[in-house]
Amino acid sequence: MGDFKSEEATLYRYRFGAAEFDEARFELKVGGLVVELERRPLEVLSLLLRHSGEVVTKEELLDTVWQGRITVENVLANAIAKLRKGLGETLSGQIRTQARIGYRFTGQVERVAAGRALVNRLDLAAGQPVPGRSHFTLKEQLSGTRGSEVWLARHDKTGELRVYKFSPDGARLASLKREATLARVLRESLGERDDIARVIDWNFETPPFFLECAYGGENLLAWSQGEGRLAAMTQAERLELALQAIDVVAAAHEAGVLHKDLKPANFLVAPRRAGGWQVRITDFGAGGLVELGRLEDLGITPMGMTIEEGGSGSSSLGTPLYIAPEIMAGQAPSARCDVYALGVMLYQILAGDMKKPLATGWEADIADPLLREDIAEATQGDPLRRIASAGELAGRLRALAVRGDARSRAQALAAEAEAARAELERVKTRRPWVAATFAALMIGFGASVWLYAQAAGARATAEMQAARAEATGRFLRDLLVNADPYRPGGAGDVTVRAALDKAVADIDGRFANDPSTEASIQQTAGEIYSSLAVYDAAAERKGRAADLFAGLYGADDVRTLTARYLQAEALANASKLAEAGEVLDDADARAAPLIEGHPKLAFAAAQTRGRYYLVQANMEASAPFLEAAVGLLPVAMPGDAEAGYRLKMDLSQIYSRVGRHADAVDLLAGLQDPSHAEAGVSAATRARATMFLGASLFYAGKYTEAEPVLQDAIRQLTDVFGAESAQVVEAQGALANLYATSGNWEPAMPLVADVREKMCALHGEGHLTCLMTMGNEAVFQWFLGDAEGAIKNLVPVVETFRAQLGPESPAVHVMAYYLAMAKLDMGAPGEAMALAGTLDAARLAAGSPGDGWAERVEGLKGMAMIRLGDCAAGRAMLAPAVADMKAGDMQPWILEDYETALDAAPCGG
């Protein structure tokens, strides 16, 4: 068979504003989210982008996209309307209508080539139908060897992409059958997983034989080199990518499947709708089963596998760079062989170069000593000394932060304990000298007694310090054991939360004789729980610390009161507002006589009261307390950069909510300066400040500027807290609100629903954060026409907010407004009018920054009156409200309901 080179036209990836259109995938994304559109509107977009700046006539569009076969009236206008809706309010204006002629794309467009053709060794060519699959057309050859070829194909009608692995004469037929068999084993054992490339069907009857698979993305090697993706990633992003690959291999091992040819080409990478990258494993053609009896258990015919093969599966050795040494020596493969390959790839991913060999001196590329240990133990030449499974490797990497922190603290404690022991030895050596002096020199009796007392006191202090260091060290060692699956008592799937839960379980008993140390550790544990957004546990630990301080020093001591303020803040964060208020009021009463002489106590009192109101969205009450706390920073916390930074973040939220947008943006922009990192402000806090900056830009109406800032915040927060953390979910919620406010409701809806689900799972159904996300989802439901679903969510939210936050809370007013609008849509104007009567425009603006709330409330009342039968009076209220909204450039999707109601009023003029 002769070679064939594809002649198909170059396909491009276009970028314009926040959008990206990939001709190779035929996929449109806006703000990183895939926009679900029919094929025809996307074909129109493709043609307009190819002729950006030029007018494309209606005739050209109809002839090219529909081939002149028009089945529906206004088909082109409908396609343009759908396309504009998919692009959203900001970008839709770039498609300009040229009256009676056609359309023109006017935006700035960046264009890059999306791929190239490979040499073809079969009688296959781009543009041909797939043999035996006439509805799929071959699009691009992905790879080829002497005995097989891999092609990408597209469905002629739906545009669905599939991958076909061909064997022309059966040379690789056994490998294809083996892959089909193992795909069934994995599906039966693990269910459908998004991290395993899906095998859909196969043809093993007539040549060319093939395996039909869902398209899973570019292979890891090609993906890593495209647009410098891997090189541009942070270390945390690279680690997350590696963990995806390791996790799916671990799952395969649990199902009894070995891959045996792990390498970058056998992992696929594709973008996720919500942002980030999805890794998938593929090509089990060289794989095998640990036990062939597994096939019988699952009722699967052993295609491509023989009893003699057993765990070996095939005679293929794999790719040399990733082959474990024992395989080269002729030993049977095992899970540790896959671990070896994963260790090599872990190094390459972290080093940012998928072609880099694991050669002498590789350690210089990996800065983290724990990661160097993990790579070294995963690639041990002796399999018995190697990490035993992919699951163990994944657990080790996930515990990296805890392991590192625990190691640092353990080293510091060891040094402290060593210093204490040295002091103790020094005191012990002095005791004989003191006693001898006392006996020999009676004249120095007084001085000798004083020296002895000092020596005995120093010894007691040293012994206490040593004992405290030892007890604290035991606690931290337990935390390390719980987090490290390779230490006795550790667990492979441990999280920071789980490790902390286990470590704090016996604090009371362990430090029963040392309440001072227990108080300090309880407070530290509470701070860690707060950073993980586990507020109930944080409140419990901080409350216990405050009780211990009260027992040690009394209820009115400064140390006790400072601890009480920390407890009150944790209770407020846990939505236990009544209890928080009681603790806070009592602390304020006790602290009043002490405030003047203790700036740190004054700072704690002001900050806690400000944050207590902030949690309740009572910005007017919160602002003076937080501003007072900022004023106290220089004298109360002169060396604590972190405390001052966080306080300014809190203050920025208030400025945004009370309409001081410029102040909020300026304050947060200043917090982005690199000097804060140099001053010791943590990466976690700086990431949250980036999120607040994005939110403030959003509140200020600067949507184009806000979007990239929020996306960057999500990346930073993911690096620090993990993709499923409350902090990341909060930022995703802000991004969803941005998309919605830009009019891009449909792609934002799945994101906001995901945010609600995760927040409620993290905090519980009754937590204010969960209820707020439930309310946000309800607003989305209403805008998308599901008034009934919106009411179902909004009623419990409004009732709970009123009970917990009080009827004057801005959050109550915002949710009550949307509940009233939904009630109108469901034919309950009386209930809508009753709700409208409770609304206050100023509180609405504080809860949802933006202009026009007075007009919106007035218009709501007018619509309700019209539907109640008083048309003239209702129209008299609605008409000027609509006029004012138009004059104020109200967003069209907000204005639409009011205009529609005005036009439909039976007493219309």
Side-chain angles (χ1 to χ4, degrees):
M1 297 179 185
D3 287 351
F4 173 87
K5 292 188 178 179
S6 172
E7 300 297 333
E8 67 177 344
T10 303
L11 298 174
Y12 294 98
R13 184 183 299 111
Y14 299 91
R15 294 193 182 94
F16 49 97
E20 177 180 289
F21 177 63
D22 190 329
E23 283 187 321
R25 296 189 175 95
F26 228 70
E27 180 180 78
L28 173 64
K29 292 182 179 179
V30 177
L33 294 176
V34 175
V35 179
E36 299 294 341
L37 278 178
E38 300 165 11
R39 183 176 180 84
R40 300 300 190 192
L42 292 178
E43 289 181 350
V44 170
L45 176 62
S46 177
L47 198 57
L48 291 174
L49 289 172
R50 280 184 174 266
H51 300 278
S52 177
E54 304 173 12
V55 176
V56 182
T57 68
K58 295 180 180 179
E59 291 75 17
E60 288 172 328
L61 287 165
L62 292 171
D63 287 344
T64 304
V65 177
W66 284 270
Q67 290 83 44
R69 298 189 297 272
I70 307 303
T71 58
V72 181
E73 239 183 280
N74 299 320
V75 66
L76 177 56
N78 291 339
I80 291 288
K82 290 176 181 178
L83 181 56
R84 283 173 170 161
K85 184 177 180 181
L87 289 171
E89 182 72 18
T90 303
L91 296 173
S92 62
Q94 295 184 8
I95 298 178
R96 298 287 179 86
T97 303
Q98 298 296 126
R100 296 182 298 279
I101 300 174
Y103 300 91
R104 178 165 60 97
F105 190 89
T106 61
Q108 294 291 322
V109 178
E110 176 188 350
R111 186 180 78 171
V112 295
R116 60 186 180 86
L118 297 177
V119 173
N120 176 346
R121 301 183 186 278
L122 292 172
D123 288 332
L124 300 171
Q128 292 179 354
V130 174
R133 298 289 187 271
S134 59
H135 293 300
F136 280 89
T137 300
L138 295 173
K139 181 182 177 300
E140 177 187 359
Q141 187 182 345
L142 301 178
S143 65
T145 64
R146 195 172 296 274
S148 67
E149 290 179 9
V150 181
W151 280 81
L152 180 65
R154 184 192 296 275
H155 194 281
D156 297 334
K157 292 183 178 179
T158 66
E160 178 188 358
L161 294 175
R162 288 190 182 173
V163 174
Y164 291 85
K165 301 181 180 181
F166 291 100
S167 178
D169 53 10
R172 278 201 70 216
L173 183 55
S175 176
L176 295 180
K177 287 184 175 181
R178 184 182 301 109
E179 185 168 359
T181 298
L182 294 180
R184 290 191 62 194
V185 172
L186 292 170
R187 187 166 56 250
E188 292 293 331
S189 302
L190 305 174
E192 291 290 350
R193 292 174 60 107
D194 202 28
D195 53 4
I196 299 176
R198 187 162 57 95
V199 175
I200 297 172
D201 203 355
W202 51 78
N203 165 40
F204 298 152
E205 302 300 324
T206 57
F209 308 109
F210 62 78
L211 204 63
E212 184 178 17
C213 308
Y215 177 71
E218 292 180 274
N219 75 66
L220 177 56
L221 178 60
W223 173 87
S224 70
Q225 296 169 329
E227 303 174 357
R229 290 188 182 108
L230 186 60
M233 278 184 161
T234 64
Q235 193 77 346
E237 288 170 333
R238 294 177 190 175
L239 185 59
E240 192 275 334
L241 194 78
L243 270 168
Q244 288 191 58
I246 296 166
D247 283 341
V248 68
V249 175
H253 287 177
E254 289 176 6
V257 176
L258 304 180
H259 191 283
K260 299 193 299 174
D261 190 18
L262 293 176
K263 57 185 177 182
N266 285 337
F267 285 95
L268 307 175
V269 185
R272 288 171 171 162
R273 288 189 177 186
W277 300 96
Q278 176 64 56
V279 176
R280 296 182 176 93
I281 193 170
T282 187
D283 198 353
F284 282 82
L289 290 167
V290 176
E291 297 179 5
L292 274 175
R294 181 81 175 131
L295 295 176
E296 185 177 349
D297 294 341
L298 296 171
I300 296 174
T301 303
M303 296 186 297
M305 309 187 76
T306 67
I307 299 298
E308 290 75 23
E309 286 172 350
S312 65
S314 80
S315 60
S316 171
L317 285 177
T319 305
L321 181 61
Y322 307 94
I323 301 174
E326 64 269 25
I327 296 297
M328 301 296 289
Q331 295 182 27
S334 68
R336 294 175 193 251
C337 300
D338 281 351
V339 170
Y340 181 90
L342 288 172
V344 176
M345 284 195 294
L346 174 62
Y347 160 69
Q348 292 174 322
I349 291 171
L350 293 176
D353 185 352
M354 295 309 301
K355 291 185 175 180
K356 197 164 192 175
L358 188 72
T360 303
W362 66 266
E363 295 88 350
D365 297 323
I366 308 298
D368 190 322
L370 290 173
L371 283 173
R372 290 199 297 269
E373 287 179 17
D374 295 338
I375 293 168
E377 293 188 30
T379 57
Q380 266 282 352
D382 181 355
L384 296 178
R385 297 173 60 195
R386 191 180 304 150
I387 293 174
S389 73
E392 290 186 3
L393 177 58
R396 197 171 207 175
L397 294 175
R398 283 202 166 83
L400 200 64
V402 177
R403 289 163 60 203
D405 185 55
R407 176 173 289 190
S408 297
R409 294 193 183 195
Q411 289 171 344
L413 286 168
E416 182 183 341
E418 182 59 33
R421 282 193 291 271
E423 174 66 12
L424 180 58
E425 290 302 319
R426 189 178 66 83
V427 172
K428 286 181 178 178
T429 59
R430 288 177 60 192
R431 283 191 64 189
W433 175 84
V434 173
T437 303
F438 176 80
L441 302 172
M442 295 296 294
I443 193 170
F445 175 80
S448 297
V449 169
W450 181 82
L451 286 171
Y452 183 89
Q454 290 296 95
R459 180 189 66 184
T461 300
E463 287 176 341
M464 182 186 70
Q465 288 176 342
R468 182 169 296 173
E470 183 178 353
T472 307
R474 283 199 307 271
F475 168 74
L476 291 173
R477 282 196 296 274
D478 280 1
L479 182 60
L480 176 61
V481 166
N482 293 331
D484 189 342
Y486 299 94
R487 294 174 178 267
D493 59 348
V494 73
T495 62
V496 177
R497 165 75 188 277
L500 188 58
D501 285 345
K502 290 182 70 175
V504 303
D506 191 38
I507 288 179
D508 297 16
R510 182 175 301 165
F511 300 99
N513 297 322
D514 189 0
S516 179
T517 298
E518 182 190 344
S520 176
I521 290 180
Q522 293 278 16
Q523 207 161 55
T524 299
E527 289 299 331
I528 298 172
Y529 276 124
S530 289
S531 71
L532 296 173
V534 186
Y535 298 121
D536 283 331
E540 179 185 355
R541 294 297 159 188
K542 291 180 180 182
R544 172 62 179 161
D547 291 341
L548 288 165
F549 282 127
L552 286 165
Y553 311 116
D556 296 326
D557 185 86
V558 171
R559 288 162 289 191
T560 302
L561 292 171
T562 303
R564 289 295 181 206
Y565 283 124
L566 292 173
Q567 178 191 7
E569 182 179 337
L571 287 166
N573 286 332
S575 295
K576 298 179 178 179
L577 296 173
E579 188 176 352
E582 291 174 5
V583 173
L584 184 54
D585 289 345
D586 182 68
D588 281 348
R590 294 178 183 276
L594 307 172
I595 288 288
E596 188 173 346
H598 294 87
K600 286 188 177 181
L601 184 62
F603 172 83
Q607 176 178 257
T608 306
R609 182 63 70 173
R611 287 179 173 171
Y612 172 72
Y613 287 130
L614 182 61
V615 167
Q616 301 173 68
N618 190 342
M619 306 301 168
E620 292 84 358
S622 177
F625 288 102
L626 290 185
E627 287 175 335
V630 170
L632 287 166
L633 275 172
V635 290
M637 315 290 283
D640 194 336
E642 181 91 7
Y645 192 96
R646 290 186 179 185
L647 189 58
K648 290 174 182 177
M649 287 166 56
D650 290 340
L651 195 56
S652 73
Q653 291 186 78
I654 292 174
Y655 289 161
S656 284
R657 295 290 182 169
V658 298
R660 293 170 60 180
H661 302 304
D663 291 339
V665 171
D666 288 344
L667 183 58
L668 288 162
L671 296 183
Q672 306 302 305
D673 193 281
S675 62
H676 294 293
E678 298 167 4
V681 178
S682 69
T685 303
R686 287 183 281 115
R688 286 183 60 78
T690 303
M691 180 188 72
F692 285 177
L693 175 59
S696 293
L697 289 166
F698 161 48
Y699 291 141
K702 298 180 179 181
Y703 305 138
T704 304
E705 295 176 48
E707 182 179 352
V709 174
L710 284 171
Q711 290 174 336
D712 184 45
I714 290 171
R715 286 191 290 271
Q716 292 182 42
L717 290 164
T718 301
D719 289 346
V720 177
F721 297 104
E724 302 298 318
S725 65
Q727 293 83 357
V728 171
V729 175
E730 181 183 1
Q732 289 172 332
L735 185 60
N737 286 333
L738 169 63
Y739 290 148
T741 306
S742 303
N744 205 7
W745 290 93
E746 290 185 10
M749 185 64 194
L751 185 58
V752 81
D754 187 50
V755 167
R756 187 263 309 153
E757 182 179 342
K758 290 177 179 176
M759 277 297 191
C760 293
L762 284 164
H763 299 296
E765 296 291 336
H767 195 279
L768 289 177
T769 304
C770 168
L771 291 164
M772 184 62 74
T773 57
M774 186 185 301
N776 285 342
E777 183 182 15
V779 173
F780 278 60
Q781 289 174 306
W782 175 71
F783 266 107
L784 290 173
D786 183 11
E788 185 177 0
I791 291 172
K792 183 178 178 181
N793 279 331
L794 282 168
V795 168
V797 170
V798 171
E799 289 176 352
T800 307
F801 278 6
R802 277 193 180 129
Q804 291 197 26
L805 303 178
E808 303 306 311
S809 168
V812 172
H813 286 253
V814 172
M815 293 304 164
Y817 165 80
Y818 286 108
L819 178 58
M821 294 294 283
K823 290 283 188 180
L824 268 182
D825 288 350
M826 292 301 295
E831 295 178 51
M833 190 66 178
L835 286 164
T838 68
L839 300 178
D840 178 82
R843 289 187 171 84
L844 284 162
S848 182
D851 298 325
W853 276 113
E855 293 81 5
R856 290 166 74 175
V857 172
E858 191 74 2
L860 168 59
K861 293 176 180 177
M863 289 190 291
M865 290 181 71
I866 290 171
R867 297 188 189 183
L868 285 168
D870 192 348
C871 186
R875 183 178 175 82
M877 298 176 73
L878 181 57
V882 169
D884 289 344
M885 282 190 267
K886 285 181 176 179
D889 293 325
M890 181 65 70
Q891 299 283 16
W893 52 91
I894 296 174
L895 184 59
E896 181 180 358
D897 284 292
Y898 294 96
E899 284 187 311
T900 301
L902 184 61
D903 293 341
C907 55

